[in-house]
Amino acid sequence: MRTGDVRLTPTPHDELMEPDLRVGAVLRGALADALALVLPVACAGCDEPDVPLCPTCAGQLRPQPARRALTVTVWSGLPFHGVTARVVRALKEDGRTGLARELAPALRAAVDAAAGDRRDVVVVPVPTSRAAFRRRGYRVVELVARRAGLRTARLLLTARRAADQRGLGRAERRRNVAHTLRARAVEGLRVVVIDDVVTTGATLDEAVRALREGGADVIGAAAIAATPSRMNRL
Ligand SMILES: [Zn+2]
């Protein structure tokens, strides 16, 4: 393990972590693996045939940590455009779960930056909506976190459903997601909250609010990628 990496000490909350590969997801994964043997595959970044990700596109996924001040400092591993955006979409929308490994270094870099030199940090994912989980069979940010060797604790829960966020501006999104989350058993924990992609940051702000209301010390947030115009590159 490199120096500066977050070493996540086992917490009393370990028992709250459920195995997130359900039978359906496992079968779907097995099916995808089997199909990959018979169906043509193409680079998720540029459509080059016969490779899931070509070396040029893989090179585009090398972490470029950037930060932005929201309720807390939000770190992202990559700017959300070009190859990164295509790879994230292939993972999120096309079921190409093998790409989680390619995005893992970006999330790892963002979490390491958010945690700084602290060792007692609990990484808490923004919850995946039930509808998204049913559709995909996996939780995107948790899958990438696992590939990054990060232990996560599912301590945020959906309190009520928000309407679809697409097409909403930041203020509207903020109103839309207000009080949609609640935290459990977080009192006194030092937390870095993670999400897959940060756009307006409204969801992360709500996550921070819920965690703080539960008594957590939220020291930062981290994401695989973020809309670049909003981030300050280092
Ligand atoms: Zn490519």
Side-chain angles (χ1 to χ4, degrees), residues 28-207:
R28 230 169 316 203
L31 183 63
D33 288 346
L35 285 175
L37 296 176
V38 293
L39 292 177
V41 66
C43 173
C46 70
D47 295 327
E48 182 179 311
D50 301 330
V51 281
L53 191 72
C54 77
T56 307
C57 291
Q60 302 276 308
L61 300 182
R62 269 193 291 272
Q64 304 168 39
R67 68 178 166 197
R68 168 181 161 203
L70 286 178
T71 312
V72 292
T73 301
V74 181
W75 288 88
S76 64
L78 288 165
F80 187 67
H81 63 52
V83 167
T84 298
R86 294 198 63 189
V87 171
V88 168
R89 284 194 200 106
L91 168 60
K92 288 183 76 164
E93 311 308 335
D94 305 334
R96 294 184 60 175
T97 50
L99 295 168
R101 195 176 298 280
E102 310 291 342
L103 293 168
L107 181 62
R108 181 83 215 196
V111 170
D112 284 350
D117 52 11
R118 293 185 178 91
R119 288 284 177 271
D120 55 345
V121 169
V122 180
V123 177
V124 177
V126 166
T128 303
S129 76
R130 207 162 294 178
F133 181 64
R134 259 202 307 268
R135 193 171 67 238
R136 297 188 186 116
Y138 51 94
R139 295 176 169 87
V140 174
V141 75
E142 291 183 38
L143 182 63
V144 176
R146 206 158 47 232
R147 296 291 177 263
L150 292 164
R151 184 196 287 252
T152 58
R154 212 175 279 157
L155 301 177
L156 278 172
L157 307 169
T158 305
R160 69 168 179 82
R161 264 212 311 231
D164 194 331
Q165 294 275 67
R166 281 172 288 195
L168 299 183
R170 176 146 197 233
E172 293 166 302
R173 283 192 181 210
R174 186 183 277 276
R175 271 195 299 280
N176 188 35
V177 300
H179 297 274
T180 51
L181 299 179
R182 66 185 173 85
R184 63 174 174 190
V186 294
E187 186 150 17
L189 295 186
R190 192 162 284 157
V191 168
V192 168
V193 56
I194 59 171
D195 202 357
D196 46 21
V197 178
V198 186
T199 52
T200 64
T203 308
L204 276 180
D205 276 347
E206 167 60 11

Side-chain angles (χ1 to χ4, degrees), residues 207-219:
V208 172
R209 183 207 61 75
L211 286 161
R212 285 184 172 156
E213 189 175 283
D217 173 15
V218 185
I219 61 168

